[in-house]
Amino acid sequence: TSVDEVLELLALDAFGLIAQPDHSNVFAVGFSLFNMIGQVITLAGVILLSGFLSNIFGKRNVFLICLALTAFFTALFFVVDSTNISTIFIINCLKSLAYAPTIPLLWAMMGDVADHSEWVNHRRATGFVFAGVVFALKAGLGIGGAICGAIVDSFGFVSNTVQTENAIFGIRLTSSVIPAITFFVGVIALFFYPISKKLNEHIQDDLAKRRLEKENKELLLNKTRLEATLEDALLGKVDKLEKPEKTEKPEEKKTDRKTVYRLADNFYF
C-alpha cells in the first residue's frame, strides 16, 4: 500500500466514510456521505447564487422562492421509497441547492429591517433588531428540537434498538412533512414582509440624504460656534491667557572701596 493510499484511507476514515467488513456501520457511512454532499452543495450555492439572485430579483423574492422550493423538496422525502437511494440523494442535492441562498440572505435582511426601523422611527436600533432575531433563532432551535423529540417519542421510538413500523413512520414525518410545514409557514410570513427591492433602495437613498443633512447641520453648527468665538475674541470678550509676571531680581548693594578698608581695619584691629 502506497503512502497516498494510506492518506486517502485516513481521510475517508476521518469523515466516517469507510465501512466495516461486517457492514455494521453501513448506515452511518451512508448518512455521513449524504450530509457531506448536501453541505458541499450548500456552500457552493451560498457563494455562487446568493448575491447573484438577490441583485436581480431582490432579497425577499429570492428568499421566498428558495424557501418554498426547500419545503417542497423536503416533503418529497416522505413519498420516496426507502430503497430508492439514488432518488433520495438527488432530492437532497436539490434541497441543499434551494436552501443555500436563504442562509446569507437571512442575515442581510436583518440589516434591512434595522434600516427600515430607522427610516420609520428616525432612530437607529440595529443592536436591538439583531438581538431579537438571534434570540428567536435560538429559541426556535430549542423548541423545534423538543417538538421533534416529543413526536418520535409518541410514535414509540426507542434508541439503540430495532425500530417498529410505527416508530419508523414517526421518524419519516419528522424528517420530511413536519419540517416542510414549518418552511411553508415561513413562506406565508414572507408575503407580509414589506421590504421589497424597490422599497429597500428608496430607504437607502432616503437614509443617505438624512445622514448627509445631519452632517451638514453639524458642520454649520460648528462653523457658527467658531465664528462666534472669533467675534468674541475680536471684541475682547474672551479672557486672554494670563502671562506670568516677571520677577525682578533684588538690587545688589554696591560697596565702595572706603567701606571695604574700614571693615578690614575693624576685623584686624
Side-chain angles (χ1 to χ4, degrees):
T1 304
S2 64
V3 177
D4 292 338
E5 291 177 348
V6 172
L7 293 176
E8 290 176 2
L9 290 174
L10 289 174
L12 292 174
D13 185 55
F15 289 102
L17 299 178
I18 296 181
Q20 299 297 330
D22 59 354
H23 303 291
S24 59
N25 66 333
V26 170
F27 174 79
V29 172
F31 192 64
S32 297
L33 183 62
F34 180 84
N35 286 330
M36 282 186 61
I37 293 175
Q39 291 299 320
V40 170
I41 293 176
T42 299
L43 180 61
V46 167
I47 297 173
L48 300 176
L49 297 179
S50 302
F52 175 74
L53 293 176
S54 61
N55 289 333
I56 298 175
F57 303 105
K59 299 184 187 74
R60 183 190 67 174
N61 294 335
V62 174
F63 200 105
L64 192 152
I65 297 300
C66 288
L67 200 62
L69 290 174
T70 303
F72 173 73
F73 291 130
T74 303
L76 285 182
F77 284 122
F78 186 78
V79 298
V80 178
D81 189 82
S82 59
T83 59
N84 195 348
I85 304 300
S86 59
T87 302
I88 292 175
F89 270 78
I90 292 173
I91 293 174
N92 180 52
C93 294
L94 294 174
K95 177 187 75 71
S96 300
L97 186 63
Y99 185 69
T102 66
I103 298 173
L105 289 181
L106 172 65
W107 300 95
M109 290 168 71
M110 289 185 200
D112 293 343
V113 171
D115 290 338
H116 183 267
S117 175
E118 181 185 2
W119 182 63
V120 173
N121 301 312
H122 295 265
R123 184 176 181 180
R124 190 75 178 172
T126 305
F128 182 80
V129 171
F130 274 79
V133 175
V134 172
F135 173 79
L137 287 173
K138 299 297 184 181
L141 289 172
I143 296 172
I147 292 174
C148 286
I151 291 173
V152 295
D153 186 64
S154 66
F155 281 90
F157 173 82
V158 180
S159 61
N160 300 322
T161 60
V162 178
Q163 304 300 324
T164 63
E165 290 293 330
N166 199 38
I168 293 174
F169 181 77
I171 294 172
R172 291 177 62 193
L173 281 178
T174 55
S175 61
S176 58
V177 176
I178 293 175
I181 291 173
T182 59
F183 282 135
F184 274 120
V185 171
V187 172
I188 295 172
L190 282 169
F191 280 105
F192 299 94
Y193 181 78
I195 308 176
S196 61
K197 186 175 185 292
K198 183 177 181 180
L199 178 59
N200 187 44
E201 292 175 349
H202 174 69
I203 290 173
Q204 297 302 323
D205 293 339
D206 199 4
L207 289 178
K209 291 178 181 178
R210 290 184 190 176
R211 290 163 185 161
L212 182 60
E213 291 176 358
K214 184 179 179 180
E215 291 178 1
N216 290 335
K217 287 181 180 179
E218 291 178 353
L219 290 174
L220 181 60
L221 180 61
N222 292 333
K223 181 181 178 181
T224 303
R225 290 175 178 173
L226 179 60
E227 291 176 350
T229 303
L230 293 175
E231 184 178 356
D232 290 342
L234 294 174
L235 295 175
K237 294 182 179 180
V238 177
D239 294 335
K240 297 181 179 179
L241 294 175
E242 296 183 358
K243 296 182 180 179
E245 297 180 355
K246 294 182 179 179
T247 56
E248 297 181 357
K249 294 182 180 181
E251 294 182 358
E252 297 180 356
K253 295 182 178 180
K254 296 181 180 179
T255 305
D256 55 6
R257 185 176 298 178
K258 292 181 178 180
T259 304
V260 173
Y261 291 156
R262 181 172 58 81
L263 291 174
D265 291 339
N266 293 334
F267 179 78
Y268 289 107
F269 300 102

